[in-house]
Amino acid sequence: MKEIVNKQRTFFNTHATKNIQFRRKQLKTLQQALKQNEAAMHEAIYKDFKKSEFDNYSTEISLLYKDIKEARINVFKWARRKNVSTGILNFPASSFIIPEPLGVCLVIGAWNYPYQLSLAPVIAAIAAGNTVVLKPSELPSHTAALMAKIVKEHFDPSFFTVIEGGVDETQELLKQKFNKIFFTGSSKVGKIVYKAAAENLTPVTLELGGKSPAIVTENCNLKISVKRLVWGKFLNAGQTCIAPDYVLVHKSIEKKFLEQTKQEIISQHFAYENDNYLQIINNRNFERLTEMIDSKKIYFGGETNPDTRYIQPTVMQHVTLDDAVMQEEIFGPILPVIPYDTIEEAISIVNSLPKPLSCYVFTKSDSVKKKVLKEISFGGGAINDTVMHITNSNLPFGGVGHSGMGNYHGEAGFKAFTHYKSVMDKPTWLDPSIRYYPHTPFRLKLMRWLLRL
Ligand code: NAD
């Protein structure tokens, strides 16, 4: 690993990656490599957790193509030196900011959207002019092996390489000196990464998780709200970092909400084992999830099959904050429903838990929208929808507090892998003596007049 990092550093020091055309060419190579391997990518992810071609294309591969396209179009603009004003104090200087790549970057991916979560940060890192070591999650072993193969076939390892492995390999990687670490995963491992990065004062972006709430008010469009909520929750069998984790629903519509949710699960074909509904990633997560289901509180679902790691979409009612399902991020197809009386109560429940990665509110009321946005701190979110905000690359994507630090997507991704070097350029034909010794009362007066603060 040391050798790989050294080779990348040597290559970075040639300044080849600072050339914008070089970056665009590498992005094009990545796009072509993905295009050539699309069929193999579908096959691998289906083997890992039964993800369908439709889901793989719509939630992983198409997002990568979009990122590459946007980065290739915008990288000239993003990487351009920007002039800024200087002010009278430094007249006649000029000031500017040069976006410069950080260097050798480590990207550590999570398993739940294995292609997208591994390669989207890589695209941003390449666009910003860095070299990259990617460590995808080991849990979806077929997708991890395929990404390693594709990258090996198309890229020089001194520019971009994949290292496969689990905890031991990641710990070993974390001992190396990187110029940036971009981590996606749990808050628990995020702390390990942050500590390791501190040893070398390496900047980090931490894309973590948490319990993302959905608040459903009494005056929402119930049919559309439930449809969008059910889709966002059970997509990827609930294994989505920004899935609504639990629902707070106004007491007056709780019954209708539950009934509508059940109907929607059935009509969106989530309710039974089929080729569009994913498996749970592994036995450990299957057991963790089945232990969360309190059979006395099941409103709908609850069926499980350990052989196929299938968990039926399960809606739980009469849930309280003390239930097992409310103690940690669910990250699976279980939807706890908690009734509330007033919007203040709903907000205080959300605020009693760590700051979430996402927050959703379903309402027609402008005052409720305003109140939620003002009083709840969260990474990002949507009004009257779930999950879809991630598809708008003009919205920086990331958490706050326990759900992460830093963000990416679009220009935010470029910024995550860039240092903004600030420079003042001063000619020598004028050199006012005011700042030099000796300081006199007159000069102080003049200084006050010039600054006028
Ligand atoms: P994880 O933290 O278990 O693993 C993430 C990565 O860290 C993997 O590559 C893994 O190999 C490595 N790792 C695991 N244990 C380690 C250790 N002890 N030392 C060093 N490295 C270690 O997370 P996960 O199970 O892959 O993903 C689930 C979590 O990720 C959820 O909390 C979810 O919300 C979060 N997530 C966040 C986002 C986001 O964009 N914010 C996206 C997807 C998932």
Side-chain angles (χ1 to χ4, degrees), residues 405-439:
M405 62 179 71
N407 46 46
Y408 73 131
H409 291 179
E411 190 174 7
F414 180 93
K415 287 181 177 167
F417 288 95
T418 297
H419 165 63
Y420 287 85
K421 190 156 70 183
S422 300
V423 181
M424 184 182 284
D425 182 3
K426 230 173 215 188
T428 52
W429 59 265
L430 183 69
D431 191 28
S433 57
I434 178 167
R435 69 173 148 150
Y436 300 113
Y437 290 104
H439 295 158

PDB file of all heavy atoms in Angstrom, residues 405-439:
ATOM      1  N   MET A 405     -19.805  15.169   7.827  1.00  0.00           N
ATOM      2  CA  MET A 405     -19.234  16.510   7.647  1.00  0.00           C
ATOM      3  C   MET A 405     -18.714  16.647   6.224  1.00  0.00           C
ATOM      4  O   MET A 405     -18.178  15.695   5.665  1.00  0.00           O
ATOM      5  CB  MET A 405     -18.120  16.776   8.655  1.00  0.00           C
ATOM      6  CG  MET A 405     -16.931  15.869   8.563  1.00  0.00           C
ATOM      7  SD  MET A 405     -15.696  16.325   9.793  1.00  0.00           S
ATOM      8  CE  MET A 405     -16.479  15.802  11.301  1.00  0.00           C
ATOM      9  N   GLY A 406     -18.941  17.818   5.652  1.00  0.00           N
ATOM     10  CA  GLY A 406     -18.571  18.036   4.258  1.00  0.00           C
ATOM     11  C   GLY A 406     -19.698  17.578   3.357  1.00  0.00           C
ATOM     12  O   GLY A 406     -20.703  17.015   3.828  1.00  0.00           O
ATOM     13  N   ASN A 407     -19.553  17.839   2.074  1.00  0.00           N
ATOM     14  CA  ASN A 407     -20.587  17.412   1.130  1.00  0.00           C
ATOM     15  C   ASN A 407     -19.990  17.278  -0.256  1.00  0.00           C
ATOM     16  O   ASN A 407     -18.844  17.661  -0.497  1.00  0.00           O
ATOM     17  CB  ASN A 407     -21.778  18.395   1.143  1.00  0.00           C
ATOM     18  CG  ASN A 407     -21.325  19.826   1.104  1.00  0.00           C
ATOM     19  OD1 ASN A 407     -20.460  20.182   0.318  1.00  0.00           O
ATOM     20  ND2 ASN A 407     -21.874  20.649   1.975  1.00  0.00           N
ATOM     21  N   TYR A 408     -20.779  16.738  -1.178  1.00  0.00           N
ATOM     22  CA  TYR A 408     -20.313  16.588  -2.568  1.00  0.00           C
ATOM     23  C   TYR A 408     -21.501  16.594  -3.511  1.00  0.00           C
ATOM     24  O   TYR A 408     -22.590  16.997  -3.117  1.00  0.00           O
ATOM     25  CB  TYR A 408     -19.415  15.365  -2.731  1.00  0.00           C
ATOM     26  CG  TYR A 408     -20.036  13.974  -2.698  1.00  0.00           C
ATOM     27  CD1 TYR A 408     -19.715  13.052  -3.692  1.00  0.00           C
ATOM     28  CD2 TYR A 408     -20.889  13.553  -1.691  1.00  0.00           C
ATOM     29  CE1 TYR A 408     -20.220  11.749  -3.676  1.00  0.00           C
ATOM     30  CE2 TYR A 408     -21.398  12.258  -1.666  1.00  0.00           C
ATOM     31  CZ  TYR A 408     -21.063  11.364  -2.664  1.00  0.00           C
ATOM     32  OH  TYR A 408     -21.569  10.108  -2.637  1.00  0.00           O
ATOM     33  N   HIS A 409     -21.252  16.170  -4.769  1.00  0.00           N
ATOM     34  CA  HIS A 409     -22.163  16.233  -5.932  1.00  0.00           C
ATOM     35  C   HIS A 409     -21.962  17.573  -6.631  1.00  0.00           C
ATOM     36  O   HIS A 409     -21.875  18.619  -5.972  1.00  0.00           O
ATOM     37  CB  HIS A 409     -23.646  16.072  -5.549  1.00  0.00           C
ATOM     38  CG  HIS A 409     -23.986  14.690  -5.085  1.00  0.00           C
ATOM     39  ND1 HIS A 409     -25.244  14.328  -4.668  1.00  0.00           N
ATOM     40  CD2 HIS A 409     -23.233  13.571  -4.982  1.00  0.00           C
ATOM     41  CE1 HIS A 409     -25.249  13.054  -4.320  1.00  0.00           C
ATOM     42  NE2 HIS A 409     -24.029  12.565  -4.486  1.00  0.00           N
ATOM     43  N   GLY A 410     -21.915  17.511  -7.976  1.00  0.00           N
ATOM     44  CA  GLY A 410     -21.742  18.729  -8.763  1.00  0.00           C
ATOM     45  C   GLY A 410     -20.497  19.496  -8.334  1.00  0.00           C
ATOM     46  O   GLY A 410     -19.470  18.892  -7.995  1.00  0.00           O
ATOM     47  N   GLU A 411     -20.616  20.812  -8.289  1.00  0.00           N
ATOM     48  CA  GLU A 411     -19.450  21.620  -7.936  1.00  0.00           C
ATOM     49  C   GLU A 411     -19.009  21.375  -6.492  1.00  0.00           C
ATOM     50  O   GLU A 411     -17.823  21.490  -6.159  1.00  0.00           O
ATOM     51  CB  GLU A 411     -19.730  23.111  -8.164  1.00  0.00           C
ATOM     52  CG  GLU A 411     -18.449  23.923  -8.040  1.00  0.00           C
ATOM     53  CD  GLU A 411     -18.598  25.396  -8.390  1.00  0.00           C
ATOM     54  OE1 GLU A 411     -19.743  25.841  -8.612  1.00  0.00           O
ATOM     55  OE2 GLU A 411     -17.566  26.093  -8.439  1.00  0.00           O
ATOM     56  N   ALA A 412     -19.959  20.999  -5.627  1.00  0.00           N
ATOM     57  CA  ALA A 412     -19.592  20.712  -4.228  1.00  0.00           C
ATOM     58  C   ALA A 412     -18.586  19.558  -4.177  1.00  0.00           C
ATOM     59  O   ALA A 412     -17.682  19.542  -3.331  1.00  0.00           O
ATOM     60  CB  ALA A 412     -20.840  20.374  -3.417  1.00  0.00           C
ATOM     61  N   GLY A 413     -18.731  18.582  -5.081  1.00  0.00           N
ATOM     62  CA  GLY A 413     -17.790  17.464  -5.140  1.00  0.00           C
ATOM     63  C   GLY A 413     -16.409  17.944  -5.546  1.00  0.00           C
ATOM     64  O   GLY A 413     -15.395  17.557  -4.959  1.00  0.00           O
ATOM     65  N   PHE A 414     -16.373  18.816  -6.537  1.00  0.00           N
ATOM     66  CA  PHE A 414     -15.098  19.401  -6.967  1.00  0.00           C
ATOM     67  C   PHE A 414     -14.439  20.124  -5.784  1.00  0.00           C
ATOM     68  O   PHE A 414     -13.252  19.959  -5.521  1.00  0.00           O
ATOM     69  CB  PHE A 414     -15.367  20.371  -8.130  1.00  0.00           C
ATOM     70  CG  PHE A 414     -14.143  21.028  -8.669  1.00  0.00           C
ATOM     71  CD1 PHE A 414     -13.453  20.470  -9.740  1.00  0.00           C
ATOM     72  CD2 PHE A 414     -13.667  22.214  -8.119  1.00  0.00           C
ATOM     73  CE1 PHE A 414     -12.313  21.087 -10.241  1.00  0.00           C
ATOM     74  CE2 PHE A 414     -12.536  22.831  -8.607  1.00  0.00           C
ATOM     75  CZ  PHE A 414     -11.860  22.261  -9.680  1.00  0.00           C
ATOM     76  N   LYS A 415     -15.249  20.875  -5.054  1.00  0.00           N
ATOM     77  CA  LYS A 415     -14.713  21.644  -3.917  1.00  0.00           C
ATOM     78  C   LYS A 415     -14.178  20.727  -2.816  1.00  0.00           C
ATOM     79  O   LYS A 415     -13.210  21.058  -2.138  1.00  0.00           O
ATOM     80  CB  LYS A 415     -15.803  22.555  -3.331  1.00  0.00           C
ATOM     81  CG  LYS A 415     -16.113  23.749  -4.213  1.00  0.00           C
ATOM     82  CD  LYS A 415     -17.174  24.619  -3.573  1.00  0.00           C
ATOM     83  CE  LYS A 415     -17.438  25.856  -4.417  1.00  0.00           C
ATOM     84  NZ  LYS A 415     -18.661  26.565  -4.004  1.00  0.00           N
ATOM     85  N   ALA A 416     -14.840  19.570  -2.646  1.00  0.00           N
ATOM     86  CA  ALA A 416     -14.421  18.643  -1.583  1.00  0.00           C
ATOM     87  C   ALA A 416     -13.003  18.127  -1.803  1.00  0.00           C
ATOM     88  O   ALA A 416     -12.331  17.713  -0.866  1.00  0.00           O
ATOM     89  CB  ALA A 416     -15.402  17.468  -1.503  1.00  0.00           C
ATOM     90  N   PHE A 417     -12.557  18.133  -3.060  1.00  0.00           N
ATOM     91  CA  PHE A 417     -11.231  17.601  -3.381  1.00  0.00           C
ATOM     92  C   PHE A 417     -10.269  18.712  -3.828  1.00  0.00           C
ATOM     93  O   PHE A 417      -9.297  18.456  -4.514  1.00  0.00           O
ATOM     94  CB  PHE A 417     -11.348  16.539  -4.493  1.00  0.00           C
ATOM     95  CG  PHE A 417     -11.974  15.256  -4.004  1.00  0.00           C
ATOM     96  CD1 PHE A 417     -13.326  15.018  -4.158  1.00  0.00           C
ATOM     97  CD2 PHE A 417     -11.189  14.300  -3.373  1.00  0.00           C
ATOM     98  CE1 PHE A 417     -13.895  13.835  -3.704  1.00  0.00           C
ATOM     99  CE2 PHE A 417     -11.749  13.115  -2.918  1.00  0.00           C
ATOM    100  CZ  PHE A 417     -13.105  12.878  -3.076  1.00  0.00           C
ATOM    101  N   THR A 418     -10.587  19.944  -3.456  1.00  0.00           N
ATOM    102  CA  THR A 418      -9.805  21.094  -3.935  1.00  0.00           C
ATOM    103  C   THR A 418      -9.348  21.975  -2.779  1.00  0.00           C
ATOM    104  O   THR A 418     -10.090  22.157  -1.806  1.00  0.00           O
ATOM    105  CB  THR A 418     -10.681  21.943  -4.896  1.00  0.00           C
ATOM    106  OG1 THR A 418     -11.008  21.132  -6.027  1.00  0.00           O
ATOM    107  CG2 THR A 418      -9.980  23.198  -5.366  1.00  0.00           C
ATOM    108  N   HIS A 419      -8.144  22.490  -2.916  1.00  0.00           N
ATOM    109  CA  HIS A 419      -7.713  23.551  -2.008  1.00  0.00           C
ATOM    110  C   HIS A 419      -7.810  24.871  -2.772  1.00  0.00           C
ATOM    111  O   HIS A 419      -7.385  24.948  -3.930  1.00  0.00           O
ATOM    112  CB  HIS A 419      -6.272  23.332  -1.546  1.00  0.00           C
ATOM    113  CG  HIS A 419      -5.684  24.544  -0.925  1.00  0.00           C
ATOM    114  ND1 HIS A 419      -6.194  25.107   0.236  1.00  0.00           N
ATOM    115  CD2 HIS A 419      -4.649  25.352  -1.300  1.00  0.00           C
ATOM    116  CE1 HIS A 419      -5.504  26.189   0.536  1.00  0.00           C
ATOM    117  NE2 HIS A 419      -4.563  26.362  -0.379  1.00  0.00           N
ATOM    118  N   TYR A 420      -8.373  25.872  -2.133  1.00  0.00           N
ATOM    119  CA  TYR A 420      -8.485  27.178  -2.792  1.00  0.00           C
ATOM    120  C   TYR A 420      -7.327  28.054  -2.313  1.00  0.00           C
ATOM    121  O   TYR A 420      -7.316  28.529  -1.181  1.00  0.00           O
ATOM    122  CB  TYR A 420      -9.871  27.792  -2.520  1.00  0.00           C
ATOM    123  CG  TYR A 420     -10.925  27.036  -3.327  1.00  0.00           C
ATOM    124  CD1 TYR A 420     -11.503  25.875  -2.834  1.00  0.00           C
ATOM    125  CD2 TYR A 420     -11.272  27.443  -4.603  1.00  0.00           C
ATOM    126  CE1 TYR A 420     -12.413  25.143  -3.594  1.00  0.00           C
ATOM    127  CE2 TYR A 420     -12.174  26.732  -5.375  1.00  0.00           C
ATOM    128  CZ  TYR A 420     -12.741  25.584  -4.860  1.00  0.00           C
ATOM    129  OH  TYR A 420     -13.630  24.872  -5.629  1.00  0.00           O
ATOM    130  N   LYS A 421      -6.350  28.205  -3.203  1.00  0.00           N
ATOM    131  CA  LYS A 421      -5.130  28.930  -2.858  1.00  0.00           C
ATOM    132  C   LYS A 421      -5.347  30.418  -3.114  1.00  0.00           C
ATOM    133  O   LYS A 421      -5.625  30.822  -4.246  1.00  0.00           O
ATOM    134  CB  LYS A 421      -4.004  28.377  -3.734  1.00  0.00           C
ATOM    135  CG  LYS A 421      -2.634  28.832  -3.365  1.00  0.00           C
ATOM    136  CD  LYS A 421      -1.567  27.849  -3.851  1.00  0.00           C
ATOM    137  CE  LYS A 421      -1.409  27.835  -5.339  1.00  0.00           C
ATOM    138  NZ  LYS A 421      -0.424  26.832  -5.777  1.00  0.00           N
ATOM    139  N   SER A 422      -5.212  31.209  -2.062  1.00  0.00           N
ATOM    140  CA  SER A 422      -5.491  32.657  -2.175  1.00  0.00           C
ATOM    141  C   SER A 422      -4.198  33.435  -2.333  1.00  0.00           C
ATOM    142  O   SER A 422      -3.263  33.248  -1.549  1.00  0.00           O
ATOM    143  CB  SER A 422      -6.187  33.146  -0.907  1.00  0.00           C
ATOM    144  OG  SER A 422      -7.396  32.450  -0.745  1.00  0.00           O
ATOM    145  N   VAL A 423      -4.159  34.280  -3.333  1.00  0.00           N
ATOM    146  CA  VAL A 423      -2.904  34.993  -3.637  1.00  0.00           C
ATOM    147  C   VAL A 423      -3.160  36.483  -3.862  1.00  0.00           C
ATOM    148  O   VAL A 423      -4.165  36.854  -4.466  1.00  0.00           O
ATOM    149  CB  VAL A 423      -2.264  34.408  -4.929  1.00  0.00           C
ATOM    150  CG1 VAL A 423      -0.940  35.111  -5.245  1.00  0.00           C
ATOM    151  CG2 VAL A 423      -2.049  32.912  -4.805  1.00  0.00           C
ATOM    152  N   MET A 424      -2.235  37.295  -3.349  1.00  0.00           N
ATOM    153  CA  MET A 424      -2.272  38.725  -3.669  1.00  0.00           C
ATOM    154  C   MET A 424      -1.027  39.057  -4.485  1.00  0.00           C
ATOM    155  O   MET A 424       0.078  38.687  -4.097  1.00  0.00           O
ATOM    156  CB  MET A 424      -2.299  39.549  -2.382  1.00  0.00           C
ATOM    157  CG  MET A 424      -2.435  41.025  -2.633  1.00  0.00           C
ATOM    158  SD  MET A 424      -2.395  41.932  -1.102  1.00  0.00           S
ATOM    159  CE  MET A 424      -4.030  41.607  -0.505  1.00  0.00           C
ATOM    160  N   ASP A 425      -1.197  39.744  -5.580  1.00  0.00           N
ATOM    161  CA  ASP A 425      -0.078  40.060  -6.471  1.00  0.00           C
ATOM    162  C   ASP A 425       0.126  41.572  -6.463  1.00  0.00           C
ATOM    163  O   ASP A 425      -0.765  42.323  -6.862  1.00  0.00           O
ATOM    164  CB  ASP A 425      -0.433  39.547  -7.883  1.00  0.00           C
ATOM    165  CG  ASP A 425       0.705  39.783  -8.860  1.00  0.00           C
ATOM    166  OD1 ASP A 425       1.766  40.276  -8.421  1.00  0.00           O
ATOM    167  OD2 ASP A 425       0.530  39.468 -10.049  1.00  0.00           O
ATOM    168  N   LYS A 426       1.302  41.987  -5.985  1.00  0.00           N
ATOM    169  CA  LYS A 426       1.527  43.433  -5.791  1.00  0.00           C
ATOM    170  C   LYS A 426       2.656  43.950  -6.672  1.00  0.00           C
ATOM    171  O   LYS A 426       3.758  43.412  -6.625  1.00  0.00           O
ATOM    172  CB  LYS A 426       1.889  43.656  -4.322  1.00  0.00           C
ATOM    173  CG  LYS A 426       1.095  44.738  -3.673  1.00  0.00           C
ATOM    174  CD  LYS A 426       1.372  44.812  -2.209  1.00  0.00           C
ATOM    175  CE  LYS A 426       0.099  45.193  -1.503  1.00  0.00           C
ATOM    176  NZ  LYS A 426       0.318  45.478  -0.102  1.00  0.00           N
ATOM    177  N   PRO A 427       2.394  44.971  -7.427  1.00  0.00           N
ATOM    178  CA  PRO A 427       3.499  45.569  -8.192  1.00  0.00           C
ATOM    179  C   PRO A 427       4.418  46.357  -7.256  1.00  0.00           C
ATOM    180  O   PRO A 427       4.060  46.651  -6.119  1.00  0.00           O
ATOM    181  CB  PRO A 427       2.784  46.492  -9.174  1.00  0.00           C
ATOM    182  CG  PRO A 427       1.450  46.728  -8.593  1.00  0.00           C
ATOM    183  CD  PRO A 427       1.131  45.626  -7.657  1.00  0.00           C
ATOM    184  N   THR A 428       5.574  46.732  -7.746  1.00  0.00           N
ATOM    185  CA  THR A 428       6.534  47.425  -6.882  1.00  0.00           C
ATOM    186  C   THR A 428       6.648  48.925  -7.182  1.00  0.00           C
ATOM    187  O   THR A 428       7.416  49.630  -6.543  1.00  0.00           O
ATOM    188  CB  THR A 428       7.925  46.774  -7.023  1.00  0.00           C
ATOM    189  OG1 THR A 428       8.233  46.718  -8.415  1.00  0.00           O
ATOM    190  CG2 THR A 428       7.945  45.386  -6.417  1.00  0.00           C
ATOM    191  N   TRP A 429       5.890  49.377  -8.171  1.00  0.00           N
ATOM    192  CA  TRP A 429       6.051  50.801  -8.548  1.00  0.00           C
ATOM    193  C   TRP A 429       5.478  51.763  -7.506  1.00  0.00           C
ATOM    194  O   TRP A 429       5.793  52.930  -7.490  1.00  0.00           O
ATOM    195  CB  TRP A 429       5.467  51.084  -9.929  1.00  0.00           C
ATOM    196  CG  TRP A 429       3.990  50.764 -10.096  1.00  0.00           C
ATOM    197  CD1 TRP A 429       3.488  49.615 -10.585  1.00  0.00           C
ATOM    198  CD2 TRP A 429       2.872  51.586  -9.780  1.00  0.00           C
ATOM    199  NE1 TRP A 429       2.112  49.652 -10.603  1.00  0.00           N
ATOM    200  CE2 TRP A 429       1.706  50.871 -10.116  1.00  0.00           C
ATOM    201  CE3 TRP A 429       2.723  52.884  -9.245  1.00  0.00           C
ATOM    202  CZ2 TRP A 429       0.417  51.358  -9.935  1.00  0.00           C
ATOM    203  CZ3 TRP A 429       1.430  53.379  -9.071  1.00  0.00           C
ATOM    204  CH2 TRP A 429       0.292  52.610  -9.408  1.00  0.00           C
ATOM    205  N   LEU A 430       4.651  51.217  -6.593  1.00  0.00           N
ATOM    206  CA  LEU A 430       4.131  52.086  -5.525  1.00  0.00           C
ATOM    207  C   LEU A 430       4.285  51.335  -4.213  1.00  0.00           C
ATOM    208  O   LEU A 430       3.957  50.139  -4.127  1.00  0.00           O
ATOM    209  CB  LEU A 430       2.648  52.377  -5.785  1.00  0.00           C
ATOM    210  CG  LEU A 430       1.973  53.329  -4.810  1.00  0.00           C
ATOM    211  CD1 LEU A 430       2.499  54.748  -4.979  1.00  0.00           C
ATOM    212  CD2 LEU A 430       0.451  53.312  -5.002  1.00  0.00           C
ATOM    213  N   ASP A 431       4.839  52.040  -3.172  1.00  0.00           N
ATOM    214  CA  ASP A 431       5.017  51.369  -1.882  1.00  0.00           C
ATOM    215  C   ASP A 431       4.748  52.357  -0.750  1.00  0.00           C
ATOM    216  O   ASP A 431       5.673  52.887  -0.133  1.00  0.00           O
ATOM    217  CB  ASP A 431       6.441  50.812  -1.781  1.00  0.00           C
ATOM    218  CG  ASP A 431       6.578  49.879  -0.592  1.00  0.00           C
ATOM    219  OD1 ASP A 431       5.560  49.264  -0.203  1.00  0.00           O
ATOM    220  OD2 ASP A 431       7.700  49.761  -0.056  1.00  0.00           O
ATOM    221  N   PRO A 432       3.467  52.674  -0.466  1.00  0.00           N
ATOM    222  CA  PRO A 432       3.148  53.680   0.554  1.00  0.00           C
ATOM    223  C   PRO A 432       3.830  53.332   1.889  1.00  0.00           C
ATOM    224  O   PRO A 432       3.853  52.166   2.282  1.00  0.00           O
ATOM    225  CB  PRO A 432       1.632  53.598   0.683  1.00  0.00           C
ATOM    226  CG  PRO A 432       1.169  52.852  -0.509  1.00  0.00           C
ATOM    227  CD  PRO A 432       2.287  52.008  -0.979  1.00  0.00           C
ATOM    228  N   SER A 433       4.314  54.341   2.569  1.00  0.00           N
ATOM    229  CA  SER A 433       5.133  54.068   3.753  1.00  0.00           C
ATOM    230  C   SER A 433       4.317  53.933   5.033  1.00  0.00           C
ATOM    231  O   SER A 433       4.860  53.665   6.091  1.00  0.00           O
ATOM    232  CB  SER A 433       6.158  55.187   3.908  1.00  0.00           C
ATOM    233  OG  SER A 433       5.439  56.391   3.981  1.00  0.00           O
ATOM    234  N   ILE A 434       3.021  54.077   4.942  1.00  0.00           N
ATOM    235  CA  ILE A 434       2.187  54.153   6.148  1.00  0.00           C
ATOM    236  C   ILE A 434       2.342  52.973   7.111  1.00  0.00           C
ATOM    237  O   ILE A 434       2.330  53.121   8.311  1.00  0.00           O
ATOM    238  CB  ILE A 434       0.701  54.392   5.765  1.00  0.00           C
ATOM    239  CG1 ILE A 434      -0.159  54.429   7.020  1.00  0.00           C
ATOM    240  CG2 ILE A 434       0.193  53.379   4.780  1.00  0.00           C
ATOM    241  CD1 ILE A 434      -1.549  54.947   6.786  1.00  0.00           C
ATOM    242  N   ARG A 435       2.540  51.729   6.593  1.00  0.00           N
ATOM    243  CA  ARG A 435       2.603  50.586   7.505  1.00  0.00           C
ATOM    244  C   ARG A 435       3.978  50.394   8.155  1.00  0.00           C
ATOM    245  O   ARG A 435       4.127  49.634   9.091  1.00  0.00           O
ATOM    246  CB  ARG A 435       2.195  49.311   6.773  1.00  0.00           C
ATOM    247  CG  ARG A 435       3.185  48.873   5.725  1.00  0.00           C
ATOM    248  CD  ARG A 435       2.832  47.516   5.149  1.00  0.00           C
ATOM    249  NE  ARG A 435       3.241  47.428   3.762  1.00  0.00           N
ATOM    250  CZ  ARG A 435       3.601  46.277   3.193  1.00  0.00           C
ATOM    251  NH1 ARG A 435       3.574  45.171   3.873  1.00  0.00           N
ATOM    252  NH2 ARG A 435       3.942  46.250   1.933  1.00  0.00           N
ATOM    253  N   TYR A 436       5.000  51.078   7.618  1.00  0.00           N
ATOM    254  CA  TYR A 436       6.360  50.882   8.122  1.00  0.00           C
ATOM    255  C   TYR A 436       6.638  51.754   9.345  1.00  0.00           C
ATOM    256  O   TYR A 436       5.989  52.782   9.541  1.00  0.00           O
ATOM    257  CB  TYR A 436       7.381  51.221   7.018  1.00  0.00           C
ATOM    258  CG  TYR A 436       7.229  50.347   5.772  1.00  0.00           C
ATOM    259  CD1 TYR A 436       6.807  50.902   4.557  1.00  0.00           C
ATOM    260  CD2 TYR A 436       7.499  48.980   5.834  1.00  0.00           C
ATOM    261  CE1 TYR A 436       6.666  50.110   3.427  1.00  0.00           C
ATOM    262  CE2 TYR A 436       7.346  48.180   4.703  1.00  0.00           C
ATOM    263  CZ  TYR A 436       6.928  48.745   3.509  1.00  0.00           C
ATOM    264  OH  TYR A 436       6.779  47.951   2.404  1.00  0.00           O
ATOM    265  N   TYR A 437       7.611  51.303  10.166  1.00  0.00           N
ATOM    266  CA  TYR A 437       8.053  52.112  11.308  1.00  0.00           C
ATOM    267  C   TYR A 437       8.799  53.338  10.786  1.00  0.00           C
ATOM    268  O   TYR A 437       9.379  53.276   9.691  1.00  0.00           O
ATOM    269  CB  TYR A 437       8.981  51.295  12.206  1.00  0.00           C
ATOM    270  CG  TYR A 437       8.252  50.195  12.939  1.00  0.00           C
ATOM    271  CD1 TYR A 437       8.370  48.870  12.517  1.00  0.00           C
ATOM    272  CD2 TYR A 437       7.444  50.489  14.037  1.00  0.00           C
ATOM    273  CE1 TYR A 437       7.699  47.850  13.186  1.00  0.00           C
ATOM    274  CE2 TYR A 437       6.769  49.475  14.707  1.00  0.00           C
ATOM    275  CZ  TYR A 437       6.909  48.164  14.271  1.00  0.00           C
ATOM    276  OH  TYR A 437       6.246  47.200  14.922  1.00  0.00           O
ATOM    277  N   PRO A 438       8.891  54.421  11.514  1.00  0.00           N
ATOM    278  CA  PRO A 438       8.230  54.635  12.822  1.00  0.00           C
ATOM    279  C   PRO A 438       6.750  54.993  12.656  1.00  0.00           C
ATOM    280  O   PRO A 438       6.377  55.651  11.679  1.00  0.00           O
ATOM    281  CB  PRO A 438       9.006  55.811  13.394  1.00  0.00           C
ATOM    282  CG  PRO A 438       9.485  56.555  12.181  1.00  0.00           C
ATOM    283  CD  PRO A 438       9.673  55.564  11.082  1.00  0.00           C
ATOM    284  N   HIS A 439       5.933  54.519  13.624  1.00  0.00           N
ATOM    285  CA  HIS A 439       4.510  54.858  13.608  1.00  0.00           C
ATOM    286  C   HIS A 439       4.313  56.203  14.287  1.00  0.00           C
ATOM    287  O   HIS A 439       4.753  56.394  15.414  1.00  0.00           O
ATOM    288  CB  HIS A 439       3.706  53.778  14.326  1.00  0.00           C
ATOM    289  CG  HIS A 439       3.767  52.448  13.611  1.00  0.00           C
ATOM    290  ND1 HIS A 439       3.528  51.273  14.241  1.00  0.00           N
ATOM    291  CD2 HIS A 439       4.050  52.146  12.321  1.00  0.00           C
ATOM    292  CE1 HIS A 439       3.658  50.285  13.373  1.00  0.00           C
ATOM    293  NE2 HIS A 439       3.991  50.791  12.196  1.00  0.00           N
TER     294      HIS A 439
END
